[in-house]
Amino acid sequence: MEQRSWWGWGRADQTLSDAECAALAAQLPGLPAEPLPVPELTRLTLALPRITPPAALAHRFSDAPLDRAAHTYGKAYRDVVRALHGDLTGAPDLVAHPRTEAEIVDVLDWAGSCGVAVVPYGAGSSVVGGVEYRPGGAGGDHRGVVSLDLTAMDRVLEVDPVSRAARIQAGARGPVLEDQLRPHGLTLRFFPQSFEYSTLGGWLATRAGGHYATLYTHIDDLVESMRVVTPVGVGESWRLPGSGAGPSPDRLFLGSEGTLGVITEAWMRLQDKPCHKASATVGFDDVTAAMEAVRAIAQSGLHPANCRLLDPGEAFLSGAARTGEAVLVVGVESAHHPVDAQLAQLLTLARDHGGTPRGSGDAGDGVDRAAEAWRSSFLRMPYVRDGLARMSAIVETFETACTWDRAAELYETVRADVGAAVEKVTGAPGIVNCRFSHVYPDGPAPYFTVVAAGRRGQELAMWDDIKVAAMETLTRLHATVTHHHAVGRDHRPGYDRQRPEPFAIALHAAKAALDPHHVLNPGVLVG
């Protein structure tokens, strides 16, 4: 983590060079010739901290410029752009690094008594404004702001091999967590794109979605019990495989995004590590036929580990296809039995809907070149996004979900509406691509990527206008405003329209009861 970029995605040594940024921009007419420079923290000005930590906890607080800058924003496009332009006006006054649950209790007690906002922070990979403080409006105003970084609490505390579960601290990042489970032959099997740069607590607080496209797609499915520190007390649910005892206490905090309490640890359901794997890609001349194939697969009960449908634009952009076809990437795995027969059944379903399975590549080594191209592009895309941001391109990704009966309409409507908004805002057509990131028996989760030429200095205003258009379209179609990226501050307007009013009343009441001084992540989920 020492090489983590404070302003952009991932590792600092993976940042695109100036030449790579310019080469990207050359493919999108209307962009500047030179990229914005990588920001140097020594040249930026941070306001002096407005608050002083309590003496007993001072050793757990930091006011170092690098620490404060790195905790100012998440990693959304608008976060990267603000950092590139040297805007750190929202930097927290202090960063707290607790090592025990008792220290979290003390921090919350102090913050509540002093009117200091506390923003729980995992590893900072939020792309929806979920880990920054915005004064005024729904967030209110506070004497100061503390970013509560939980990554020092990163241990697997217990492993129960009989029940196949583990008690894990919330600050454990993906690789740290898996390293500790590996000697037991077990895995959480939860691998979001942000795996290296996100934590268990962050996954739970945002109801994150992992890489696996069917069956256990969300972290919700893997939770056995949780322990949460709130400003009014500590709560822990019982370890149970299932329960019908009233509303679930875990469900109150899953997806609460740090507004109701701080998740400190959880018992998580584990799995044996897979040892049998197989994958393939399938080409489709018609994207609607491809959607029908994916629906048949999702409803077959075969539960592939991977089932990503890339529309023609997404397939071309990732290098998975060069001929204007849609591409289905499908994969299966098991810890207990060979999977070749399962893959063959999936490919038969794809053929029945007009798909053409790909060969093993020109090298004849069994490697599916299209699948490898997509995987490489998938992992590299956040760095490409940062490179485009340095060239003042507008880059946005947003995901949703709907039922199958509305999937084709949603796909066409979103591409048309957002495409029209892009052209209105920027004055030129942009790129609006889509992939199905997750699929369920009753519907898909379409994930859209938007790329357009922006104007230097106006990137955020242009991004905001396009974002509003996308949210309005999703709301009109009754598709969720987020499938796995969370609500944060950026999706709050759409979330307010999506949730039923009686539930909003109950959520406000829960906030008032659990956080009476309104210090936990103000402005997220409730005002």
Side-chain angles (χ1 to χ4, degrees):
M1 292 294 284
E2 289 78 8
Q3 295 177 311
R4 181 84 181 271
S5 170
W6 71 265
W7 64 271
W9 184 264
R11 291 163 54 109
D13 60 2
Q14 296 295 310
T15 300
L16 270 61
S17 67
D18 289 1
E20 289 175 311
C21 293
L24 278 174
Q27 303 175 47
L28 198 64
L31 292 175
E34 299 292 331
L36 290 164
V38 171
E40 295 182 28
L41 188 56
T42 54
R43 297 186 178 184
L44 303 180
T45 301
L46 285 170
L48 292 174
R50 297 166 293 175
I51 52 177
T52 302
L57 291 173
H59 62 297
R60 294 292 182 232
F61 283 82
S62 168
D63 62 0
L66 178 57
D67 221 2
R68 294 176 63 202
H71 288 77
T72 301
Y73 304 124
K75 301 302 179 185
Y77 170 82
R78 69 189 328 272
D79 304 333
V80 171
V81 169
R82 285 181 288 178
L84 286 171
H85 286 285
D87 177 9
L88 295 177
T89 53
D93 299 276
L94 299 169
V95 179
H97 297 275
R99 292 184 176 274
T100 67
E101 188 176 272
E103 290 177 346
I104 295 175
V105 171
D106 291 342
V107 169
L108 295 188
D109 286 347
W110 165 72
S113 65
C114 297
V116 172
V118 177
V119 180
Y121 186 99
S125 58
S126 169
V127 292
V128 294
V131 294
E132 67 174 283
Y133 177 79
R134 295 180 188 173
D141 289 297
H142 296 80
R143 288 185 52 215
V145 181
V146 169
S147 179
L148 185 68
D149 187 316
L150 299 179
T151 50
M153 299 173 62
D154 64 353
R155 297 294 88 195
V156 174
L157 301 173
E158 280 184 78
V159 175
D160 174 0
V162 176
S163 307
R164 212 169 57 175
R167 182 165 67 99
I168 307 169
Q169 289 183 308
R173 291 181 295 113
V176 173
L177 180 160
E178 289 293 334
D179 284 348
Q180 295 175 76
L181 294 176
R182 191 170 294 111
H184 301 275
L186 297 169
T187 175
L188 184 59
R189 198 177 175 266
F190 190 78
F191 303 104
Q193 187 180 33
S194 61
F195 175 71
E196 294 177 89
Y197 312 112
S198 55
T199 64
L200 173 64
W203 302 339
L204 296 168
T206 61
R207 298 184 66 194
H211 174 73
Y212 293 98
T214 68
L215 198 57
Y216 302 126
T217 62
H218 276 71
I219 197 68
D220 312 32
D221 304 314
L222 306 177
V223 176
E224 198 174 61
S225 74
M226 291 168 54
R227 187 171 172 88
V228 184
V229 174
T230 78
V232 297
V234 180
E236 182 175 11
S237 59
W238 291 6
R239 283 187 64 199
L240 296 167
S243 173
S248 166
D250 291 337
R251 287 284 175 180
L252 178 63
F253 295 103
L254 284 167
S256 61
E257 302 190 30
T259 62
L260 303 180
V262 180
I263 299 167
T264 58
E265 60 183 61
W267 276 95
M268 303 299 296
R269 300 182 177 101
L270 306 178
Q271 299 181 50
D272 297 327
K273 290 188 69 66
C275 55
H276 302 280
K277 298 182 181 183
S279 64
T281 54
V282 184
F284 290 86
D285 292 330
D286 178 59
V287 70
T288 303
M291 291 183 192
E292 285 300 306
V294 173
R295 180 172 69 86
I297 289 172
Q299 295 175 347
S300 69
L302 293 170
H303 303 305
N306 196 5
C307 188
R308 298 291 200 281
L309 175 61
L310 318 178
D311 79 354
E314 186 80 1
F316 180 83
L317 193 65
S318 67
R322 296 295 180 188
T323 57
E325 62 182 347
V327 173
L328 171 63
V329 182
V330 64
V332 288
E333 61 179 43
S334 172
H336 308 291
H337 53 76
V339 293
D340 291 342
Q342 184 182 359
L343 181 62
Q345 289 177 286
L346 293 167
L347 294 180
T348 296
L349 286 172
R351 286 193 192 94
D352 290 345
H353 290 83
T356 304
R358 303 291 188 87
S360 60
D362 296 336
D365 55 5
V367 176
D368 190 310
R369 297 290 181 260
E372 288 301 308
W374 176 79
R375 290 189 189 98
S376 177
S377 173
F378 175 75
L379 295 174
R380 189 64 177 157
M381 185 53 68
Y383 296 100
V384 172
R385 186 278 312 267
D386 289 357
L388 287 168
R390 291 183 61 200
M391 299 303 301
S392 297
I394 308 298
V395 186
E396 164 65 342
T397 61
F398 60 94
E399 19 69 68
T400 185
C402 67
T403 50
W404 282 114
D405 60 310
R406 295 179 290 140
E409 177 194 6
L410 181 138
Y411 170 74
E412 295 294 348
T413 303
V414 169
R415 291 185 70 241
D417 287 7
V418 175
V422 167
E423 189 160 3
K424 179 180 179 181
V425 170
T426 67
I431 297 169
V432 183
N433 294 335
C434 179
R435 67 177 182 268
F436 287 1
S437 64
H438 301 76
V439 294
Y440 305 94
D442 50 345
Y447 188 118
F448 293 90
T449 299
V450 181
V451 184
R455 290 184 291 275
R456 185 149 292 173
Q458 300 180 43
E459 302 100 326
L460 292 186
M462 299 171 82
W463 181 91
D464 285 343
D465 287 344
I466 294 169
K467 184 75 169 180
V468 167
M471 290 299 100
E472 288 180 348
T473 298
L474 295 180
T475 301
R476 188 177 75 250
L477 296 174
H478 281 207
T480 183
V481 296
T482 179
H483 172 262
H484 59 266
H485 280 170
V487 175
R489 290 161 179 82
D490 295 340
H491 290 156
R492 173 71 188 279
Y495 176 67
D496 284 351
R497 294 193 293 269
Q498 179 175 332
R499 65 188 178 193
E501 184 57 26
F503 178 78
I505 294 170
L507 186 58
H508 278 83
K511 174 70 171 177
L514 296 173
D515 182 19
H517 299 292
H518 195 71
V519 297
L520 280 173
N521 217 4
V524 172
L525 298 185
V526 295

